[in-house]
Amino acid sequence: MPLSPFHLAIPVYDLAAARRFYGEVFGLSEGRSSEQWVDFDFFGHQLVIHEHPKTASQDSAHTNPVDGHEVPVPHFGVVLEWQQWHALVERLQSYNTQFVIEPYIRFKGQVGEQATMFFYDPCGNALEFKAFKDMNQLFAK
């Protein structure tokens, strides 16, 4: 069955800064917009940034330990193709993105081995992007 695009709407307290981040740093195409929100083509999915006062999770993130790192919760992102993930790492580094968890291989040599990285958008929304050399490992136990 083909994967259906998801729709995700997130709060941003600085619409202009978030618009620059998702448009310039990621290079995402804009869709519809208004003075309070902007649609983006987020790797084939619909991401909408909505102007909203700062939330508690944007102010101070909760974390859970995973593979020796403190993973911010909540977070969102996309599982990319292996080469696409590496290209995104290079693009983010070229914009001097500050990583919460630097790009690395998680669960190395184990079931579910994956490339991953974590960072925040300008409004404190945590993002994770990951990739698997073997996509069959995505849901492996």
Side-chain angles (χ1 to χ4, degrees), residues 5-12 15 18-23 26-34 36-51 58 75-78 119 121-122 125-129:
F6 67 76
H7 162 82
L8 177 65
I10 62 169
V12 297
L15 189 66
R19 186 179 217 160
R20 277 191 305 278
F21 178 78
Y22 289 102
F26 273 103
L28 302 180
S29 299
E30 276 194 30
R32 293 175 304 266
S33 66
S34 80
Q36 293 85 28
W37 55 268
V38 181
D39 283 349
F40 287 99
D41 178 347
F42 190 67
F43 303 90
H45 304 281
Q46 185 185 48
L47 174 67
V48 186
I49 57 173
H50 281 273
E51 194 166 48
Q58 290 170 325
H75 64 263
F76 71 96
V78 175
F119 51 93
D121 75 7
N125 296 298
L127 292 97
E128 176 188 19
F129 285 84

Side-chain angles (χ1 to χ4, degrees), residues 2 12 19-20 41 44 90-91 95 101 108 117-118 127:
V12 297
R19 186 179 217 160
R20 277 191 305 278
D41 178 347
E90 289 180 18
R91 182 178 183 99
Y95 280 89
I101 299 175
K108 196 167 192 138
M117 62 179 149
F118 286 82
L127 292 97

Side-chain angles (χ1 to χ4, degrees), residues 54-90:
K54 187 183 278 190
T55 66
S57 66
Q58 290 170 325
D59 197 34
S60 71
H62 173 78
T63 62
N64 284 332
V66 178
D67 193 37
H69 292 89
E70 291 298 317
V71 170
V73 177
H75 64 263
F76 71 96
V78 175
V79 178
L80 301 172
E81 298 289 329
W82 192 257
Q83 294 306 323
Q84 190 181 18
W85 183 87
H86 283 84
L88 180 58
V89 169
E90 289 180 18

